């Protein structure tokens, strides 16, 4: 029988064939099983091939689960030679053979649904509900493995070479279904900070931008698509806005604010230009639409990259500390906006010809860089920067204090201070013996570091060792803001290395242990960020980080239990970290939290214990001695969704550990 090309039409009778298998319409008393016709076998093989072919057309996947998606697709493609040989098989097929292929088809259809979700679903949902998505992957792996395990390869006269491929796939599926949570721990911590953090510190904006970059939600087009995906998600949930759903919507709105988009109700109609909604039959030329809002422009302006935007929209972008072109992503040589009179005239003429009314927009005078007030402000900042290098100590003190206040007010001030050369003299002030100057200087650098370009300028000027010195010996407020500054700077991976090599971790650990509540929180956030670098994990452990982490976990009044456990979860991936965290006193504390902590405490403690137990069964046995089993059973029944999944995984591990 020759191989046929894949067809796009469906085959009739599929439901009937599956129902026959489910109903068990077979001769149970005969020595052999009933046989299906080769035609039925070929039909189901073609149907399976079409499923795999449709998956191959899906394209890219959400970054958060891209690795799992491509792994699953690769395994599905391994089945192609196997299916081709089944199509060529012309012998009788047993009921068992048909049932195994029917199960294989169902598993592959389930895989297709999951891959479609990862291709089209909300990026934010994929991260927030990572545990649920990973459980779906594990379920697919398990069903595929069971289906292949039941296939009678010899009956189908499968060649030895293809048999080896099938066996390889089964081994890979077995390995994949045992794999634990693979979510990027940095994403998980950032999400926790953004969704729960109540301290409105300036540096938090850096986390929002890092999340947007990680989720690839930095362009208007991507955010419009995400809005539609979020809307579909809400509709699938019966338009019920739960706390979790509201958190996801709030985060989406924060991403929109970063790029200067208008924040709208996610339940509104799909995102299309409002003017188009009024005239659905009218097609507005693409070049008349602002790339940011996707609405027709009434005041088009040209930026340094040569791209044109609506003035109000691009001004919001610039006011949000951006120095890049939203469309090309290239750095802008300057921030001046030049009116695009030619395009404006074309738009006005088109509106007249098509009886189309432009929306009225008002541009505040303060946004015009040519106004006298703006010029005076620039002169004032320039004068303050000069005073930073004055020979008079009191002049320097007043100037750096004013710079500190200005840098906190808005994004344009941070850009203006840096463009006037303010960063080098501020860094120089960090070596002064005046405590007030040190406090103002390090806080000014914290505020300035919110801008990503400023992060690089601050590090380039050699500020890291000086900030660490203030962290060691400054006033209480100076030490806290030094820790926050190191956190902000460590958003850049190269700065994580610089801070670690500059001995910045030991004083952060000391602040974590002996600082004020605010100082402990700043230190914890910085230490988590720095520990994303593998070498810094060892440095943190050598600096004695486990002891203050245990104190924070035990002192629940500080409200830092979950943050401390998140750092522990990160350190548990390091051999030395596992040994430190795996001490009996620590495991006992984890078990106590699993017994009477808050739902979130129980969830985090269970996650840490699972990370420990996944690599060393002795940790499981130690936890059993402290009575963890009954607490796990309770969590598996009444804990949060994530906690229930972790608890069930732990129970399985413990069952295996007891058998050893």
């Amino acid at each position: 029988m020759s191989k046929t090309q894949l067809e796009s039409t469906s085959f009739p009778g599929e439901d009937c064939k599956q129902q026959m298998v489910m109903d068990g319409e077979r001769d149970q008393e005969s020595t052999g099983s009933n046989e299906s016709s080769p035609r039925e076998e070929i039909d189901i093989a073609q149907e399976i091939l079409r499923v795999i072919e449709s998956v191959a057309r899906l394209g890219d996947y959400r970054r958060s689960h891209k690795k799992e998606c491509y792994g699953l697709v690769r395994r599905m493609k391994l089945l192609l030679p196997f299916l081709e040989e089944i199509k060529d098989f012309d012998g009788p097929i047993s009921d068992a053979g048909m049932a195994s292929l029917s199960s294989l088809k169902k598993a592959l259809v389930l895989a297709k649904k999951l891959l479609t979700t990862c291709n089209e679903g909300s990026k934010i949902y994929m991260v927030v509900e990572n545990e649920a998505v990973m459980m779906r992957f594990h379920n697919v792996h398990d069903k595929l493995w069971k289906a292949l395990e039941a296939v009678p390869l010899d009956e189908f006269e499968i060649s030895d070479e293809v048999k080896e491929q099938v066996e390889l796939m089964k081994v890979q599926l077995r390995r994949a279904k045992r794999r634990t949570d693979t979510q990027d721990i940095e994403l998980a911590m950032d999400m926790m900070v953004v969704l729960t953090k109540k301290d409105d510190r300036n540096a938090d904006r850096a986390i929002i931008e890092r999340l947007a970059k990680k989720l690839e939600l930095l362009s208007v087009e991507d955010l419009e698509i995400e809005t539609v995906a979020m809307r579909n998600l809400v509709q699938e949930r019966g338009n019920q806005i739960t706390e979790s759903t509201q958190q996801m919507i709030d985060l989406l709105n924060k991403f929109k604010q970063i790029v200067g988009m208008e924040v709208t109700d996610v339940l509104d109609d799909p995102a299309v230009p409002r003017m188009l909604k009024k005239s659905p039959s009218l097609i507005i030329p693409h070049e008349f639409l602002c790339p940011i809002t996707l609405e027709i422009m009434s005041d088009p302006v040209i930026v340094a990259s040569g791209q044109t935007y609506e003035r109000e929209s691009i001004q919001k972008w610039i006011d949000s500390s951006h120095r890049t072109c939203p469309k090309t992503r290239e750095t802008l040589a300057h921030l001046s906006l030049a009116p695009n009179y030619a395009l404006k005239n074309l738009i006005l003429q088109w509106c007249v010809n098509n009886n189309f009314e432009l929306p009225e927009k008002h541009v505040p005078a303060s946004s015009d860089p040519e106004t006298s007030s703006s010029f005076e402000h620039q002169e004032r900042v320039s004068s303050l920067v000069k005073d930073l290098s004055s020979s008079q100590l009191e002049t320097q003190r007043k100037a750096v204090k004013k710079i500190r206040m200005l840098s906190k007010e808005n994004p344009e001030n941070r850009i203006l201070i840096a463009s006037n050369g303010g960063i080098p003299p501020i860094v120089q002030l960090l070596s002064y013996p005046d405590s007030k100057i040190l406090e103002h200087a390090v806080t000014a650098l914290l505020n300035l570091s919110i801008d990503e370009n400023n992060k690089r300028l601050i590090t380039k000027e050699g500020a890291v060792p000086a900030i660490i010195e203030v962290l060691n010996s400054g006033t209480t407020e100076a030490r806290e803001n030094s820790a926050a500054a190191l956190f902000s700077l460590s958003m850049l991976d190269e700065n994580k290395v610089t801070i670690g090599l500059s001995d910045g971790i030991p004083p952060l650990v000391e602040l974590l242990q002996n600082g004020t509540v605010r100082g402990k929180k700043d230190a914890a956030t910085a230490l988590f960020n720095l520990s994303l670098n593998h070498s810094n994990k060892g440095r943190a452990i050598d600096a004695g980080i486990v002891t203050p982490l245990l104190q924070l976990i035990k002192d629940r009044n500080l409200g830092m239990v979950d943050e401390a456990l998140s750092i522990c979860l990160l350190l548990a991936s390091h051999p030395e970290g596992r040994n430190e965290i795996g001490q009996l006193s620590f495991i006992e504390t984890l078990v106590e939290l699993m017994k009477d902590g808050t739902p979130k405490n129980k969830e985090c403690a269970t996650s840490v214990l699972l990370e420990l137990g996944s690599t060393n069964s002795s940790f499981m046995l130690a936890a059993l001695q402290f009575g963890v089993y009954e607490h796990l059973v309770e969590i598996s029944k009444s804990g949060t969704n994530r906690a229930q999944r972790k608890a069930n995984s732990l129970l399985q591990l413990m069952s295996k550990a007891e058998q050893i």
Side-chain angles (χ1 to χ4, degrees), residues 552-556 559-566 593 601:
L552 292 177
I553 294 172
K554 287 183 175 181
D555 189 355
R556 303 183 195 181
M560 294 181 61
V561 174
D562 297 333
E563 287 84 347
L565 287 173
S566 295
L593 278 175
N601 292 164

Side-chain angles (χ1 to χ4, degrees), residues 57-62 69 114-121 126:
R57 292 196 298 264
L58 285 178
D60 203 4
Y61 298 96
R62 301 312 188 214
C69 289
L114 175 56
L115 291 169
T116 301
T117 298
C118 293
N119 174 258
E120 302 173 355
M126 298 291 290

Side-chain angles (χ1 to χ4, degrees), residues 594-607:
M594 294 163 69
K595 176 184 178 183
D596 55 15
T598 67
K600 188 66 177 178
N601 292 164
K602 293 179 180 180
E603 176 185 312
C604 292
T606 306
S607 298

Side-chain angles (χ1 to χ4, degrees), residues 615-655:
T615 56
N616 191 328
S617 60
S618 64
F619 296 129
M620 296 290 91
L621 297 175
L624 285 170
Q625 295 176 10
F626 294 115
V628 73
Y629 187 84
E630 59 180 302
H631 309 320
L632 282 174
V633 172
E634 179 62 28
I635 292 173
S636 68
K637 296 177 180 178
S638 60
T640 64
N641 290 337
R642 175 186 170 95
Q644 288 182 29
R645 291 189 289 270
K646 294 290 186 181
N648 285 324
S649 296
L650 263 171
L651 288 170
Q652 293 177 7
L653 280 176
M654 288 182 171
S655 177

Side-chain angles (χ1 to χ4, degrees), residues 111 174 177 194 209 245 264-265 289 445 491 547 637:
R174 254 196 322 267
K177 70 177 185 175
V194 169
E209 293 184 348
T245 304
T264 57
D265 187 346
L289 302 178
L445 290 176
M491 288 293 176
T547 298
K637 296 177 180 178

Side-chain angles (χ1 to χ4, degrees), residues 96-256:
M98 278 296 295
S100 67
L101 288 177
S102 179
S103 297
L104 179 60
K105 179 191 171 185
K106 291 178 181 178
L108 290 171
V109 169
L110 196 65
K112 178 185 174 181
K113 290 181 180 178
L114 175 56
L115 291 169
T116 301
T117 298
C118 293
N119 174 258
E120 302 173 355
S122 162
K123 295 179 179 179
I124 296 175
Y125 162 79
M126 298 291 290
V127 175
V128 173
E129 299 291 344
N130 173 71
E131 289 286 327
V133 176
M134 287 305 301
M135 285 300 295
R136 291 179 64 184
F137 272 103
H138 293 166
N139 186 41
V140 166
H141 293 149
D142 186 56
K143 290 186 179 298
L144 282 174
W145 178 80
K146 288 179 179 177
L148 288 174
E149 187 73 8
V151 174
L153 300 178
D154 290 333
E155 177 184 324
F156 295 139
E157 298 179 1
I158 303 299
S159 65
D160 291 341
E161 180 181 356
V162 173
K163 279 184 181 178
E164 290 177 1
Q165 288 182 320
V166 174
E167 290 301 322
L168 172 63
M169 181 175 177
K170 286 160 61 177
V171 170
Q172 292 180 351
L173 289 170
R174 254 196 322 267
R175 186 184 306 126
K177 70 177 185 175
R178 292 197 203 106
R179 197 167 296 146
T180 56
D181 194 345
T182 60
Q183 184 181 10
D184 184 342
I185 188 66
E186 182 182 42
L187 266 178
M189 183 64 173
D190 283 350
M191 278 292 184
M192 186 175 72
V193 171
V194 169
L195 298 179
T196 64
K197 194 172 180 68
K198 297 179 181 178
D199 183 14
D200 188 20
R201 296 294 291 269
N202 281 337
D204 285 355
R205 180 183 177 84
I207 301 179
I208 302 292
E209 293 184 348
R210 180 166 73 180
L211 273 174
K213 184 177 181 180
K214 280 232 171 199
L215 298 180
E216 296 176 339
L217 290 173
L218 278 173
S219 72
V220 174
E221 292 81 3
D222 287 337
L223 285 166
E224 293 285 11
I225 293 172
E226 177 67 15
T227 300
V228 174
M230 187 68 69
R231 182 180 300 110
N232 292 337
L233 176 66
V234 173
Q235 291 174 349
E236 288 172 5
R237 296 181 172 183
N239 290 327
Q240 297 296 314
I241 305 295
T242 63
E243 181 180 357
S244 173
T245 304
Q246 187 61 56
Q247 287 179 330
M248 289 188 276
I249 293 173
D250 291 343
L251 183 56
L252 173 61
N253 289 336
K254 289 178 182 178
F255 290 157
K256 288 183 177 181

